[in-house]
Amino acid sequence: MSAESSFDIVSKVDMQELTNAITQAERELETRFDFKGSKSSIKFEKEELIISSDDEFKLSNVIDILIAKMVKRGVPVKNLDYGKVEPASHSTVRQHIKLRTGIEQDVAKKINIMIRDSKLKVKSQIQGDQIRVTGKSRDDLQGVIALLRGADLPVELQFINYR
């Protein structure tokens, strides 16, 4: 058994599951009675969702349907960054929703401080858009995972490469 154990903290979105959630939401839009004849659509282009509909009420309903499908498929909804609603062509409205992947520097620093203040015997270091946590005891590493799962952070975290 190795002397040091470690894991990485990342924030990413499974693109295949996101695509499946979008497909399911589009299928529901086609079959729902309140969307008959509506110009509602969901497009996914380069880390960004573009949602358009007839008016703001229908737009919010489309977003609710999409979020329900994302939650059902296990896609993190905390990583969505909503833009403002803007008018589009043919008297429709549109909203851009960006997908945040990776842990931003200020959030990474906050996570580092939380780990340091927990008094667990582990070391954490920021490596680009992820954080590596190392320690001698696997119990301490699992304590860090439990601490971060219970914390209210602005992004959804995944724990990978646990060795």
Side-chain angles (χ1 to χ4, degrees):
M1 188 170 146
S2 67
E4 291 273 310
S5 297
S6 68
F7 68 89
D8 295 332
I9 304 170
V10 296
S11 179
K12 61 183 178 180
V13 176
D14 184 359
M15 292 302 171
Q16 184 61 49
E17 289 297 328
L18 178 65
T19 305
N20 292 342
I22 292 170
T23 305
Q24 286 180 342
E26 286 175 334
R27 201 170 308 130
E28 184 171 332
L29 289 176
E30 291 172 4
T31 59
R32 278 188 41 170
F33 178 74
D34 52 340
F35 285 103
K36 286 275 191 251
S38 128
K39 300 175 199 133
S40 300
S41 69
I42 303 170
K43 292 187 183 99
F44 179 59
E45 299 173 356
K46 296 186 215 150
E47 307 289 319
E48 184 174 64
L49 291 165
I50 302 169
I51 300 175
S52 59
S53 191
D54 297 334
D55 53 43
E56 287 190 38
F57 179 71
K58 282 190 178 175
L59 183 75
S60 68
N61 285 343
V62 172
I63 292 172
D64 290 343
I65 291 169
L66 177 64
I67 288 176
K69 298 302 179 187
M70 288 172 68
V71 167
K72 200 179 226 181
R73 299 204 65 91
V75 178
V77 293
K78 273 187 175 180
N79 292 10
L80 299 178
D81 192 19
Y82 297 93
K84 65 179 190 171
V85 178
E86 56 193 35
S89 62
H90 302 295
S91 68
T92 60
V93 291
R94 166 178 56 216
Q95 185 171 15
H96 293 268
I97 302 174
K98 290 191 187 289
L99 291 172
R100 288 184 291 189
T101 56
I103 302 173
E104 296 169 359
Q105 286 295 322
D106 56 334
V107 177
K109 288 178 184 175
K110 183 178 176 183
I111 291 171
N112 260 350
I113 291 170
M114 286 175 62
I115 293 171
R116 197 175 324 122
D117 291 346
S118 70
K119 304 292 186 215
L120 294 169
K121 294 180 180 170
V122 294
K123 290 181 284 210
S124 61
Q125 63 190 58
I126 301 171
Q127 298 178 336
D129 62 351
Q130 66 183 19
I131 301 172
R132 163 112 355 125
V133 180
T134 58
K136 291 189 184 302
S137 169
R138 287 183 169 228
D139 291 339
D140 287 345
L141 294 178
Q142 289 176 345
V144 170
I145 291 174
L147 170 79
L148 293 176
R149 281 203 173 125
D152 185 31
L153 295 169
V155 292
E156 191 78 28
L157 300 176
Q158 291 88 26
F159 307 98
I160 60 171
N161 298 335
Y162 186 79
R163 317 181 189 141

